Amino acid sequence: MLPRCAFSVCHVFVLVLCLSSAEDFDWTKNGHSSFHYGTFPAGFSWGAGSSAYQTEGAWDKDGKGLSIWDVFSHKKGKIQRNDTGDSSCEGYHKIKDDVSLMKELKLNHYRFSISWPRLIPTGIKSDHINEKGIQYYDELINHLLESKITPVVTLYHWDLPQVLQEKYGGWQNISMVNHFNEFASLCFERFGNRVKYWMTFNNPWSVAVEGYETGEHAPGLRLKGTGAYRAAHHIIKAHAKVWHTYDTQWRGKQKGLVGISLSGDWGEPVDISNQKDIEAAERYVQFFLGWFATPIFHGDYPQVMKDFVGRKSVQQGHGTSRLPSFSPQEKSYIKGTCDFLGIGHFTTRYITQKNHPSARSGGSYFTDRDLAELVDPRWPDPGSEWLYSVPWGFRRLLNFVKSQYGNPMIYVTENGVSEKMLCTELCDDWRIQYFKDYINEMLKAIKDGVNVKGYTAWSLLDKFEWDEGYSERFGLYYVDFRNKNKPRYPKASVQFYKRVISSNGFPNQREVENWRRKAVETCSSSNQLLAAARRKSKEHAEMPKVWPMHDEV
Ligand code: NOJ
């Protein structure tokens, strides 16, 4: 999630932290070591998630149009090992199998996204609607409902139709607002009788910053200092328009809710007695979550973003701020367009003040913030380079949402951890630990009065992890990508999460420790199954023209 340029900053500071300041900070001061046994409020919704491009595969099947991710991943050198989402988990062909995995977990909800170019191949509704694409989502939704699993649907999880990128420049262009609204209206019309939870966008921070500023994600543009702000501006307007469309045209009959899923790392001041660090940490969160949440809840960008980007833009010789502004009409149109807030959260950073002189840096989203990110070398980092396990940051972020945005209804839309490259270990004890601690911090936040209604473990399956390809596995279920049939195998965390769900929390220490022990015991048999299947598929692969034909689970 964090771009590589931010890693290098982090790494430099990890060293500094190790060398000079270990004893300057009392790491236990945050009071986060105790575990809270107890249960969640009745009706709390437990789920798992996925997204279309990351899991469906079938990139060119049944009339689907190209998305910017199809095109981007087919360019050499953009994705680890040149992986693509062409077939991914083959989710498009495995609705029944995957719904049975959800039933096994006893999920209350499943979060997935609809691929815009699968429904509208060019992105422009008046061109053509692909009925086969509609049928696929119809089938998925119906299977979920038959299994008493609530569908929670994201309209945009990054797969913009390629035609819209080529013709208009994608999210750099205001015309996306109307095209997206037409796509959303089609979804409300066709699926809204059964889908009651909608999210307009998933993690627009990544779309804006990684798609249009650093270019690490599709469409791969590097419009430093302006691209991310312009993309975000149009996304916020598109979100508001879709919310109003639902509110005025569909809510009456369909009685659903429309929110947005925002991601946010927590930023903790390095030195809590230093005012400059406190302000820098506040800026970190405001430039991350606040960038999108503040317009949606309060009608405008965070003051600190307007101040910092505005001042730097002037110093750099721009006539106006690189951060666009909303007109008074737009502010009141955007304010309050959120029936619930989706929060995707994975990790935390320590933050310290660091000036980035305007003239020298030339201006970018990252330097506009005037801060540096640090990590504690003692934080566990079981998977992705950027993902340190810091559970207490989750509680702080949730409390921040409560206090900044008037205690809105929150659904946690993503939370989870990956594992190191090429790891084939199903006994994922570290993931159990991560879920246990993060879910517990969420429970503490609810006790603090934060209005969290549901939690979505990220992710149901291992899947295509964007520019990291298949090298980072977030799944509760392992997917054998080397086998053409993409069989799924339960990791130990499936057993653990299942118990959390059936107990609606953590009843007592003895039981929770028991779950964990049992989960790790049972996974060794899954490990053996996987190893046997791999041996078998290797033998098959060595014989010419023979592929394994059936799942071996
Ligand atoms: C957030 C993105 O929404 C999701 O697609 C991705 O898998 C996770 N971050 C993990 O990087």
Side-chain angles (χ1 to χ4, degrees):
M1 226 166 53
L2 268 179
R4 257 167 230 132
C5 52
F7 297 154
S8 50
V9 173
C10 287
H11 287 153
V12 170
F13 282 93
V14 166
L15 285 178
V16 174
L17 200 63
C18 294
L19 293 174
S20 68
S21 44
E23 67 270 27
D24 293 347
F25 307 108
D26 178 359
W27 303 104
T28 59
K29 221 182 224 159
N30 290 298
H32 32 253
S33 49
S34 65
F35 195 86
H36 181 84
Y37 290 93
T39 51
F40 283 81
F44 190 83
S45 189
W46 297 97
S50 74
S51 81
Y53 188 72
Q54 293 183 279
T55 50
E56 283 176 6
W59 71 289
D60 60 351
K61 293 278 169 357
D62 293 343
K64 176 182 165 291
L66 287 180
S67 81
I68 54 173
W69 272 96
D70 292 314
V71 173
F72 187 72
S73 67
H74 287 165
K75 289 186 185 148
K76 293 272 164 289
K78 299 292 182 193
I79 314 288
Q80 281 266 355
R81 297 182 313 181
N82 292 318
D83 287 342
T84 73
D86 290 1
S87 58
S88 188
C89 309
E90 294 285 15
Y92 187 72
H93 303 291
K94 285 179 175 279
I95 292 181
K96 275 197 180 153
D97 300 359
D98 289 342
V99 173
S100 24
L101 303 181
M102 298 172 211
K103 276 161 71 178
E104 163 70 20
L105 272 163
K106 301 225 164 37
L107 296 186
N108 305 117
H109 70 261
Y110 177 55
R111 175 181 180 223
F112 63 95
S113 77
I114 294 183
S115 156
W116 183 350
R118 199 180 287 291
L119 255 50
I120 306 178
T122 62
I124 303 164
K125 192 175 167 191
S126 56
D127 285 350
H128 174 60
I129 295 171
N130 180 28
E131 289 298 330
K132 288 216 163 141
I134 304 251
Q135 266 169 35
Y136 164 69
Y137 293 108
D138 264 339
E139 212 183 302
L140 172 59
I141 292 165
N142 292 343
H143 267 87
L144 289 170
L145 291 173
E146 279 159 23
S147 308
K148 305 215 167 10
I149 298 169
T150 304
V152 175
V153 178
T154 311
L155 292 167
Y156 189 84
H157 202 126
W158 308 359
D159 43 2
L160 186 78
Q162 173 69 11
V163 171
L164 295 181
Q165 186 62 46
E166 279 170 17
K167 237 179 163 167
Y168 304 108
W171 291 108
Q172 291 301 293
N173 193 304
I174 186 72
S175 67
M176 288 311 98
V177 174
N178 283 336
H179 292 304
F180 182 63
N181 186 52
E182 300 242 298
F183 161 60
S185 304
L186 176 68
C187 295
F188 297 150
E189 181 195 330
R190 298 299 190 90
F191 310 123
N193 58 342
R194 288 154 294 156
V195 173
K196 305 299 167 192
Y197 293 87
W198 295 99
M199 274 170 287
T200 53
F201 289 88
N202 172 72
N203 190 354
W205 183 93
S206 266
V207 177
V209 173
E210 294 173 306
Y212 294 90
E213 169 113 11
T214 68
E216 284 162 299
H217 281 185
L221 298 180
R222 296 199 174 98
L223 308 169
K224 218 174 133 209
T226 56
Y229 296 133
R230 192 174 301 126
H233 203 63
H234 296 149
I235 287 173
I236 293 165
K237 287 185 181 183
H239 159 81
K241 177 138 192 169
V242 167
W243 185 89
H244 280 287
T245 296
Y246 191 81
D247 199 47
T248 54
Q249 295 172 30
W250 303 98
R251 197 194 293 284
K253 2 185 208 310
Q254 299 187 345
K255 313 232 176 305
L257 301 174
V258 178
I260 186 167
S261 171
L262 302 179
S263 65
D265 295 353
W266 177 244
E268 182 74 8
V270 164
D271 178 354
I272 49 166
S273 63
N274 178 335
Q275 188 56 25
K276 288 226 149 78
D277 282 357
I278 294 172
E279 287 167 14
E282 166 84 15
R283 276 201 302 285
Y284 178 78
V285 181
Q286 294 293 1
F287 269 76
F288 211 141
L289 179 72
W291 184 5
F292 299 91
T294 318
I296 289 169
F297 286 98
H298 300 308
D300 202 0
Y301 291 117
Q303 191 58 43
V304 73
M305 277 189 88
K306 295 200 285 186
D307 292 347
F308 271 63
V309 185
R311 180 171 46 78
K312 284 177 180 252
S313 303
V314 171
Q315 287 165 358
Q316 287 151 358
H318 295 271
T320 53
S321 176
R322 286 180 282 101
L323 182 72
S325 55
F326 296 116
S327 70
Q329 290 81 358
E330 286 168 343
K331 287 181 191 170
S332 56
Y333 185 74
I334 293 165
K335 184 175 172 178
T337 54
C338 207
D339 302 323
F340 66 92
L341 179 62
I343 290 287
H345 173 78
F346 292 88
T347 195
T348 283
R349 293 285 180 269
Y350 277 110
I351 304 295
T352 187
Q353 150 80 30
K354 183 177 190 291
N355 282 336
H356 292 277
S358 301
R360 221 163 21 105
S361 66
S364 80
Y365 164 84
F366 294 100
T367 55
D368 283 343
R369 304 173 306 172
D370 274 351
L371 55 84
E373 302 174 33
L374 298 82
V375 296
D376 180 347
R378 286 165 289 187
W379 287 342
D381 62 334
S384 312
E385 204 180 352
W386 53 269
L387 209 173
Y388 293 82
S389 176
V390 193
W392 53 263
F394 193 20
R395 180 180 181 181
R396 289 181 180 224
L397 183 77
L398 291 169
N399 271 285
F400 176 89
V401 169
K402 173 180 174 240
S403 63
Q404 294 268 318
Y405 312 121
N407 204 11
M409 178 154 93
I410 297 175
Y411 280 85
V412 173
T413 42
E414 287 184 18
N415 176 243
V417 66
S418 53
E419 51 212 40
K420 300 284 182 210
M421 201 188 248
L422 300 179
C423 175
T424 52
E425 179 54 78
L426 299 179
C427 300
D428 54 348
D429 194 36
W430 66 91
R431 183 172 285 106
I432 292 179
Q433 187 69 41
Y434 181 98
F435 278 136
K436 178 174 170 248
D437 292 342
Y438 270 76
I439 292 173
N440 199 247
E441 291 299 317
M442 175 174 67
L443 178 58
K444 291 180 191 169
I446 291 175
K447 305 280 170 208
D448 297 335
V450 184
N451 191 13
V452 188
K453 297 289 190 193
Y455 174 85
T456 313
W458 193 259
S459 47
L460 181 71
L461 305 174
D462 291 339
K463 57 190 174 355
F464 180 83
E465 186 50 37
W466 309 113
D467 53 325
E468 302 298 338
Y470 297 99
S471 67
E472 292 180 6
R473 293 174 174 272
F474 276 84
L476 287 156
Y477 286 89
Y478 180 91
V479 177
D480 186 356
F481 293 109
R482 293 197 292 189
N483 182 330
K484 207 179 171 193
N485 291 306
K486 315 292 167 82
R488 287 84 158 116
Y489 298 84
K491 300 181 190 173
S493 48
V494 164
Q495 300 308 325
F496 183 81
Y497 188 40
K498 202 170 136 177
R499 308 267 179 224
V500 175
I501 296 175
S502 58
S503 304
N504 197 29
F506 306 100
N508 59 60
Q509 188 171 3
R510 198 174 43 83
E511 250 186 87
V512 175
E513 269 159 24
N514 226 359
W515 297 345
R516 191 174 172 158
R517 197 174 39 75
K518 281 200 185 133
V520 176
E521 269 166 28
T522 50
C523 68
S524 57
S525 57
S526 312
N527 257 346
Q528 282 164 13
L529 261 180
L530 172 61
R534 287 187 148 233
R535 272 198 304 276
K536 209 164 157 199
S537 79
K538 209 170 153 220
E539 282 159 21
H540 279 261
E542 279 158 9
M543 292 196 293
K545 294 194 204 106
V546 181
W547 270 104
M549 293 303 291
H550 303 288
D551 292 358
E552 273 134 319
V553 237

